Amino acid sequence: MAKFIFVTGGVVSGLGKGITSASLGMLMKARGFKTTNIKIDPYLNYDAGTMNPYQHGEVFVLDDGGEVDLDLGNYERFLDTSLTFDHNITTGKIYSAVIEKERRGDYLGATVQVIPHITNEIKERIREIARDYDVVVVEIGGTVGDIESMPFLEAARQMQLEEGRDNVAFVHVTYVPKLRVVGEQKTKPTQHSVKELRSLGIQPDAIVARSEDPLEEGARRKISLFTNVPPEAVISAYDVEDTYEVPLMLEKEGLARYITKRLGLPEREPELDAWREMVERYKSLTDTVEIAIVGKYVKLSDSYLSIKEALKHSSVANDVKVKIRWVEAEDVEKHGVKLLEGVDGIIVPGGFGARGTEGKMMAIRYARENDIPFLGICFGFQLTVVEFARNVLGLKGAHSTEIDPQTLYPVVDLMPEQRELDKLGGTMRLGAYPVKIKPNTLARELYGKELIYERHRHRWEVNPEFIERFEKAGLVFSGVAGDDERRMEILELPEKRYFIATQFHPEFKSRPMNPAPVFRGLVKAAKEKKFGD
């Protein structure tokens, strides 16, 4: 029988519930329990696919093509696992399913209501995933008190009643501010948040107190007294240099040990040596390389969270810390490539729409002409093709038909199967697809095998009509897909130090102890450029 741990949040959003949930899942897995994580997003969107990265950070793509919240990326990295679209539950999904059932007549004429129909649907989905696991960590997004979260909190409350108290635990993440004027940590916001939670019928078993500095003993005792939580279950989660330190901090504080005991699970010592060594190695790095990310959402770095993490993983693998220079593509258009001077590597990531495309191509040209290690991803791959067509093949005005439908040289065009679609959500080429890598190429050297499976999220692709011209001019398409191998997946310029671009998103499968090969290669090339071969 599965054990359930519900993680809720109070006071303010953005406290790190996702990292706390991922860490808790990892600590349970490290104890030998078969563990998975679920993310509940209370927004009405069906999935994260149509959301602007400025509002919600990056859209993370799963093997099965699910477009989900970025927290699922954290779960995959921390638990070293692959999740499914069902692991992300949204209000949109729940209400769609309930309305569909009502239309079919599944409710036999009953008046359809939030309780029991919506809450039953929520519980059903959680239990469906739980079938194969010992422990399921369920993060409920938003903040306690939000109207959107109410049905999910009610479903969680009901689950404790139905599954039995020994099988369901609640962990509440709150904020403990320290006012400069007074100079002491204030527990009142936490008290109010727990009071709100208890008014919904939920008593937290543990409180994770987020603060800038370690929780003072007086504050811990006060929180314990006012929230009816034992002092050892009031966990200090203070700011750390790196998110990968959080599981180690929570382990030291005894969170997983307490929850294990509370749920009646056998007490075991967690296997954390490899993780601890990875964290120590990262913290001890002294040499640095600087890599520019030239994007259009750089004001919110969470828009490129998986890229940041892939660079971190590659830092450890190459014994060199990566410093990121965030460069707005539109600023390159205004101020020129001087914004990129002195960098050791350049990444042009994915994105949609015309804004910033010329700036991205200026960055690609700068990398190509100055032999700076370069990685293009998805739209960055397509713009690399456009830049090469314009400045090497001399095809003036060459473009992607996404940006210029009337271009004389449509070197990047809409995939044939996309032409008749009239909906945006969930209709792209999504998820893991096979990519065949050609021998004697940089890509084969990096991946070390002929067939790989990588995650995609695109509608446009390289126009097959132009491939021969590109190859004659020295551009190598080293990765291909499709039965006819006419879908271009990886390109490279062999005469350059490191110049590669991928139609897929390699960052989504990068792991702390197993970095994505093209990122590891980029950091290695940047290190060699700066410090010599």
Side-chain angles (χ1 to χ4, degrees):
M1 193 176 189
K3 305 281 187 176
F4 299 91
I5 304 166
F6 286 95
V7 179
T8 57
V11 188
V12 290
S13 59
L15 282 179
K17 277 197 313 298
I19 295 293
T20 304
S21 303
S23 300
L24 190 49
M26 183 210 151
L27 293 173
M28 299 310 277
K29 186 181 178 181
R31 283 170 161 74
F33 302 117
K34 202 174 176 199
T35 307
T36 195
N37 281 58
I38 294 172
K39 173 71 192 286
I40 288 175
D41 280 303
Y43 48 66
L44 270 167
N45 304 60
Y46 190 84
D47 59 31
T50 57
M51 294 170 104
N52 187 322
Y54 272 139
Q55 286 209 359
H56 213 69
E58 77 176 2
V59 176
F60 191 80
V61 179
L62 304 171
D63 279 344
D64 65 5
E67 295 173 282
V68 295
D69 183 84
L70 57 78
D71 277 324
L72 275 85
N74 288 323
Y75 302 163
E76 286 204 345
R77 286 185 285 269
F78 278 63
L79 274 77
D80 190 19
T81 189
S82 287
L83 300 175
T84 71
F85 192 37
D86 291 339
H87 285 78
N88 194 191
I89 298 171
T90 66
T91 299
K93 276 188 185 180
I94 297 296
Y95 276 78
S96 291
V98 168
I99 289 166
E100 200 176 308
K101 286 179 180 177
E102 184 273 328
R103 295 285 82 190
R104 273 202 315 257
D106 290 13
Y107 299 125
L108 304 173
T111 303
V112 180
Q113 295 175 292
V114 173
I115 302 168
H117 301 98
I118 295 295
T119 49
N120 283 352
E121 185 70 28
I122 294 164
K123 291 183 292 183
E124 203 176 293
R125 286 176 180 239
I126 293 170
R127 286 178 176 130
E128 185 64 34
I129 290 168
R131 280 181 184 181
D132 304 321
Y133 294 95
D134 303 320
V135 177
V136 182
V137 181
V138 186
E139 177 193 347
I140 300 179
T143 309
V144 171
D146 293 349
I147 196 165
E148 297 98 331
S149 313
M150 294 297 186
F152 298 103
L153 291 165
E154 171 59 20
R157 183 197 68 76
Q158 290 176 18
M159 277 189 75
Q160 188 172 63
L161 186 71
E162 293 162 3
E163 300 285 330
R165 196 172 174 278
D166 291 347
N167 297 315
V168 177
F170 289 95
V171 175
H172 192 52
V173 183
T174 72
Y175 180 49
V176 178
K178 189 172 192 174
L179 301 179
R180 255 184 314 200
V181 198
V182 192
E184 67 170 340
Q185 291 176 332
K186 290 292 181 186
T187 65
K188 193 65 76 178
T190 296
Q191 293 175 42
H192 280 297
S193 180
V194 173
K195 188 179 175 186
E196 182 83 35
L197 194 60
R198 288 167 78 179
S199 74
L200 300 171
I202 295 170
Q203 165 64 42
D205 297 288
I207 288 180
V208 175
R210 287 282 292 112
S211 54
E212 275 103 47
D213 307 309
L215 196 63
E216 292 155 11
E217 206 44 51
R220 190 192 299 265
R221 283 198 304 272
K222 207 169 179 183
I223 289 170
S224 168
L225 183 67
F226 282 99
T227 61
N228 210 27
V229 169
E232 66 270 25
V234 178
I235 306 298
S236 172
Y238 50 90
D239 291 351
V240 286
E241 184 189 331
D242 180 52
T243 52
Y244 294 135
E245 289 181 64
V246 176
L248 303 176
M249 174 175 63
L250 295 181
E251 179 58 30
K252 193 177 164 193
E253 282 282 308
L255 176 63
R257 196 164 51 248
Y258 182 82
I259 294 294
T260 301
K261 192 175 159 190
R262 160 71 181 76
L263 292 172
L265 288 162
E267 291 185 41
R268 300 170 183 160
E269 276 304 305
E271 287 283 332
L272 292 170
D273 292 348
W275 190 273
R276 197 171 276 114
E277 187 190 332
M278 178 267 295
V279 169
E280 289 308 316
R281 272 186 70 186
Y282 182 72
K283 286 175 75 176
S284 67
L285 297 174
T286 50
D287 289 341
T288 61
V289 292
E290 188 175 25
I291 290 177
I293 295 178
V294 184
K296 55 192 286 186
Y297 312 114
V298 298
K299 289 186 182 75
L300 180 70
S301 65
D302 268 3
S303 303
Y304 303 109
L305 180 63
S306 292
I307 290 176
K308 282 197 305 184
E309 297 306 310
L311 288 171
K312 202 183 286 181
H313 309 158
S314 302
S315 291
V316 177
N318 285 292
D319 288 317
V320 65
K321 197 165 254 185
V322 174
K323 180 186 172 198
I324 296 173
R325 184 187 297 185
W326 296 100
V327 180
E328 181 66 56
E330 285 180 293
D331 289 345
V332 179
E333 292 170 6
K334 288 178 204 157
H335 308 295
V337 292
K338 65 182 181 188
L339 296 176
L340 300 168
E341 282 173 9
V343 297
D344 306 303
I346 294 172
I347 295 174
V348 174
F352 293 93
R355 185 173 66 81
T357 52
E358 295 302 322
K360 286 185 176 188
M361 283 190 276
M362 288 165 73
I364 294 164
R365 183 175 188 174
Y366 180 75
R368 182 176 59 77
E369 292 181 346
N370 293 280
D371 200 10
I372 296 165
F374 170 78
L375 172 61
I377 299 168
C378 196
F379 193 43
F381 165 87
Q382 295 168 6
L383 291 180
T384 303
V385 169
V386 175
E387 190 279 324
F388 194 88
R390 288 182 182 183
N391 300 316
V392 179
L393 296 182
L395 303 178
K396 197 177 175 192
H399 222 315
S400 164
T401 54
E402 178 189 1
I403 312 302
D404 180 6
Q406 308 306 321
T407 175
L408 290 174
Y409 304 107
V411 292
V412 175
D413 202 5
L414 193 62
M415 294 190 292
E417 61 267 37
Q418 291 283 325
R419 296 190 193 282
E420 303 305 317
L421 296 174
D422 59 353
K423 285 184 183 160
L424 289 177
T427 55
M428 285 183 272
R429 184 168 181 251
L430 288 163
Y433 286 91
V435 177
K436 188 180 174 186
I437 302 179
K438 294 174 183 174
N440 307 313
T441 59
L442 172 60
R444 178 67 81 88
E445 188 189 317
L446 291 167
Y447 280 93
K449 51 188 172 185
E450 183 185 11
L451 194 65
I452 59 170
Y453 287 82
E454 290 281 5
R455 298 178 184 181
H456 295 69
R457 186 174 186 250
H458 65 109
R459 294 182 201 281
W460 276 261
E461 65 181 355
V462 179
N463 188 338
E465 291 172 25
F466 290 88
I467 290 165
E468 205 176 311
R469 285 157 92 172
F470 284 120
E471 291 181 330
K472 273 185 184 163
L475 193 68
V476 173
F477 287 106
S478 52
V480 292
D483 295 337
D484 56 0
E485 297 186 356
R486 299 284 280 168
R487 188 158 272 165
M488 300 300 109
E489 292 276 4
I490 308 173
L491 68 78
E492 54 189 70
L493 284 173
E495 78 277 9
K496 299 295 177 190
R497 187 194 300 272
Y498 188 90
F499 193 98
I500 195 165
T502 66
Q503 179 60 79
F504 50 82
H505 286 266
E507 67 272 24
F508 292 148
K509 288 181 81 168
S510 189
R511 302 284 183 264
M513 284 168 271
N514 187 18
V518 288
F519 278 90
R520 190 175 62 227
L522 176 73
V523 174
K524 180 174 183 277
K527 183 183 179 184
E528 286 168 358
K529 176 185 177 291
K530 184 172 182 179
F531 299 106
D533 297 356

